[in-house]
Amino acid sequence: MTTAHNGTLALRVDRIEPVTPEINRYTLSAADGAWLPPFSGGSHLTLLIDTENGTRRNAYSLMSSPYDASMYQIAVRRIEDGKGGSVAMHRRISVGDVIPVTIPANLFPLSKHARHHLFIAGGVGITPIFAQLEELNLKGGSFEVHLAVRGPEHATLGRELIERYGDRVTLYGDGERGRMDIAAVLAERPLGTHVYVCGPARMIDDVVDRAHEQGWTDSHIHYEKFEDAGSTGEPFTVTLAKSGAVIEVSPEQSLLEAVEERGFKLPYLCRGGACGECETEVLELDGTLDHRDDWLSEKDRASNAIIMPCVSRATCSKLVINA
Amino acid sequence: MLITGIKSRPVYDQLVPMASGLRHIAVAQGSGGKPVLRLLAEMTAGQRASTTVVYSTESFTGNSYLSELQDQDDVELRVVATNSEALQALDDVLSTANMGTRLYLAGSEGFIGTAMQVASAYGLDRDEILREHAGSFVRRVWCAHCDTYTENVTTRVFRCPGCELDLVVRDHYSSRLAAFQGVKADGEVPGELPEIEELDT
């Protein structure tokens, strides 16, 4: 099996396939030809992408089969007004290029005890579900998929799933069917049903709210925000207590990115405020923290004693963190 | 001896209405009728109207709350004579229940544990269930040698009705089996039994 150096695998681009006007599918294999590390359905990779404005770290869900260790597949949607990572993937990367990629991590695993798996996705949010379905199909789990797309030309991935899984997949917005009624999809489900949602933030919020209205508890609701949680805002300054380094965080970068740019290291995994890996102690604060993560509890947030540098910011005249 | 504090014994809750639920199922046995009556008193009229109570009159201590439960006119009540019938009734109710259901269990440890086995098989998670212990802490014991379950064990050493070995009741509770483990009491030195003390019932 290929091994990681400085936390990343060297993966070669074997194939680039346009699947919608905005989405390319990339097939990657180990540059040294060895087997790839195994993963489970719902896992993602973080690609270190060279752009004109430095290295971008973008997370993409694995959509190939967890049972195939010869290659990884991801889908990248081009975001023209983003930070440049996805645009570089579409315009600068070609077959044969080698990209540094972190080993797979899973923040969106299947529930082992579910009696029925209900997947709801929007657009490119379908990608982690590809791998989850491979896993369920082999294990024999009961599932159905509801996918919303913006038009027939955006429905390629959905049609692939229909080919594989037939009427267990329902496509909305492809010209044949209208909008997805999320409340109706969730209604009158038998006990032990688990819902997984991946798509735009408003779709996730909608599913969580409708599920709560129908009495679902949080243990049965799973989501992954594939959109960059985003950490742009007003600039601020942070001091690293251990080295004394004073670092400016610009409006376009996260605290974590600013620290890394200066050559320091903080622990991280998801870079999206979900996994808890980068949790850092706040030693001094003159101002307020702008918590943007999904990790800290309300109590932790109110304490002003912990921050998640991958997404959260501060409006302050002074911020010292224990790093 | 092999006995220490019981870390594996479940930590029980107090039954209170779970307001986020749309349907409520309460299953109780013997002394467990009392916390269910308290639960019903704390419910809104709407919650009571969407509640089903299953009550088993089987009781180790002899306590019954049947007549008080029968006085709750606006709550659906199913009365059964044995705990195993109560589990069957729970299975029936859950088989047609939908997401949004909340489950309340009250009674002896063995009763709650075996009801949890039924609930888990339907995929109910801990944030959909409250459990309140009522009555004595008599133990349900699983024999490691012949796979027999014995209800209402009160002493440290007892004879397994399945294989007639003298078993010592260990203080390890298995949630999966809903029972304490019983192992041959004189396995090391034949004929040498540990003290036959009363368990903390």
Side-chain angles (χ1 to χ4, degrees), chain A residues 17-61:
Chain A
E17 219 183 321
V19 290
T20 79
E22 292 174 352
I23 299 172
N24 282 351
R25 174 162 42 199
Y26 297 80
T27 303
L28 311 169
S29 65
D32 62 7
W35 296 109
L36 293 166
F39 68 96
S40 50
S43 297
H44 67 272
L45 301 170
T46 302
L47 275 62
L48 277 58
I49 308 164
D50 263 337
T51 74
E52 286 157 8
N53 303 310
T55 303
R56 290 282 161 238
R57 292 180 168 83
N58 288 16
Y60 295 105
S61 295

Side-chain angles (χ1 to χ4, degrees), chain A residues 111 113 115 186-194 212-220, chain B residues 20-22 93-95 97-102 120-128:
Chain A
S111 161
H113 305 293
R115 293 168 71 225
L186 293 171
E188 293 178 8
R189 292 294 179 171
L191 293 177
T193 304
H194 283 246
H212 283 165
E213 277 169 17
Q214 297 189 25
W216 292 51
T217 53
D218 288 333
S219 64
H220 292 257
Chain B
S20 59
L22 304 187
V93 176
L94 293 182
S95 68
N98 286 330
M99 289 298 292
T101 300
R102 298 293 180 274
S120 298
Y122 280 97
L124 282 163
D125 269 318
R126 284 306 320 277
D127 59 358
E128 299 168 290

Side-chain angles (χ1 to χ4, degrees), chain A residues 96-172:
Chain A
D97 287 353
V98 173
I99 307 174
V101 176
T102 64
I103 58 170
N106 198 346
L107 302 177
F108 195 44
L110 292 169
S111 161
K112 301 284 182 288
H113 305 293
R115 293 168 71 225
H116 184 63
H117 303 264
L118 181 59
F119 297 97
I120 297 178
V124 76
I126 193 65
T127 51
I129 296 168
F130 264 76
Q132 289 172 322
L133 295 183
E134 289 276 350
E135 196 173 318
L136 279 179
N137 203 38
L138 197 84
K139 291 177 178 167
S142 158
F143 67 84
E144 65 194 88
V145 181
H146 296 263
L147 170 64
V149 296
R150 282 179 295 146
E153 72 275 23
H154 296 276
T156 316
L157 294 174
R159 280 194 289 267
E160 278 184 25
L161 287 181
I162 289 174
E163 240 168 68
R164 287 187 208 175
Y165 305 113
D167 59 9
R168 285 180 284 182
V169 181
T170 308
L171 203 52
Y172 303 81

